[in-house]
Structure formats: C-alpha cells, structure tokens
Amino acid sequence: MSETVRLVCPVGRKHVELFSGYALVALGVVAIAVDVSHWANITLGVLLVLLGAAVAVHGHTIKTPVLEVSDGEFRYRRGDYEIGVPFSDIGSYYLLPGSIRSLGLCDRAGRPKRFPSLQSRRTSRTYLPLTGMTSPAKVESFMAMAGIPPRKRSLSS
C-alpha cells in the first residue's frame, strides 16, 4: 500500500474545554469593559480571564488518537505514545464495545497482539484505546480501506 490512510478520532472533551475556555475569556473581557472604574468588575473579569485561559490551555493539551496505515506499516499515535506494527503481521482486528471504544489487532494466527501500556505501567494490553465519540462504522470503514479484515472474517482459517 503506497498511499496513506488516516483516521483522527474525535475527542468531545477537548472541544468542550476549548469552547468553554474561550467563552470564559470573552466573558471576562466583557465584565471588565462594562464598568472599568469599579474594582468588583475588574476583579471578576480578571478571574474569569484567568480561569478561561487555564481551561483552554488544558483543552489544548488533550491528545487525540490517530490511526494511520502507510508504507506497509500500521501506526497508532496518542501524544508521545506511538506504536508501529508491520502491515504483514496483522491478520484481523476487533472493536471492544464500551463508553470508550478500543481497537484490538490480531496476528495472522488469530491471537491478539499485545501492546505496552499507555501510562508507562508495567502491564501490557491487547487493545489500543480510541475515544467514546469514535463511531464503530468509521473505524470499520478505515480498516476496510486499509485492507484489514474484521476478526470474524480473518485471513487465517
């Protein structure tokens, strides 16, 4: 596969924090602009601006998971955590249901592949966490475009 297939998982909390942070900053500016001569408006405005800035900065630090297949390799990235698996080692995939979706990869024999933990714990896991807003249909479409079959239709017999 020479072309790149990419899926960026949406993160609802990131969008909410960014929107609410910028809204608090704007509200703080409005509170100051209403009456600049009164100390209560200035104090309230400065507090709203600081709180909004903190929430917006935290929203910018939330990392979104990215799935990518290019140059014969499957890659998963979430911030500094990156996994690369040769495309030839992947036999199938499966989606774990739940409030936070997860993607599991299987080798050609149908056994789940193990990955190091995201938080640098000593344990390993057999799945890669996505987000709750990630649609299973989008993941299935991405995997179909990448040429990876679902577990129930695995390449192994």
Side-chain angles (χ1 to χ4, degrees):
M1 169 174 271
S2 61
E3 65 183 56
T4 300
V5 180
R6 187 173 204 214
L7 173 70
V8 179
C9 299
V11 179
R13 195 175 105 210
K14 179 177 184 127
H15 299 297
V16 168
E17 285 190 17
L18 289 174
F19 178 76
S20 59
Y22 293 139
L24 284 173
V25 168
L27 189 62
V29 169
V30 168
I32 293 172
V34 166
D35 187 8
V36 182
S37 63
H38 200 270
W39 66 270
N41 282 4
I42 294 172
T43 305
L44 177 65
V46 168
L47 288 176
L48 285 173
V49 166
L50 291 175
L51 182 64
V55 170
V57 165
H58 187 264
H60 281 289
T61 62
I62 296 174
K63 307 296 184 200
T64 58
V66 176
L67 302 173
E68 187 175 75
V69 174
S70 68
D71 301 328
E73 184 177 46
F74 175 88
R75 276 179 277 202
Y76 170 86
R77 262 182 300 172
R78 186 174 189 169
D80 295 335
Y81 182 77
E82 187 170 335
I83 287 186
V85 178
F87 193 71
S88 60
D89 291 350
I90 301 172
S92 61
Y93 76 94
Y94 59 96
L95 286 174
L96 296 171
S99 62
I100 296 185
R101 306 228 188 288
S102 296
L103 174 70
L105 298 176
C106 298
D107 60 11
R108 296 259 178 208
R111 295 182 305 261
K113 295 187 81 48
R114 299 200 63 81
F115 305 104
S117 176
L118 287 176
Q119 277 78 27
S120 300
R121 296 184 185 128
R122 292 177 183 240
T123 62
S124 62
R125 51 181 71 180
T126 58
Y127 57 88
L128 300 169
L130 303 175
T131 62
M133 291 182 68
T134 305
S135 166
K138 279 190 175 183
V139 175
E140 289 169 1
S141 171
F142 166 78
M143 295 304 248
M145 286 183 0
I148 303 171
R151 186 179 218 174
K152 57 188 171 218
R153 290 182 268 157
S154 178
L155 297 176
S156 62
S157 52

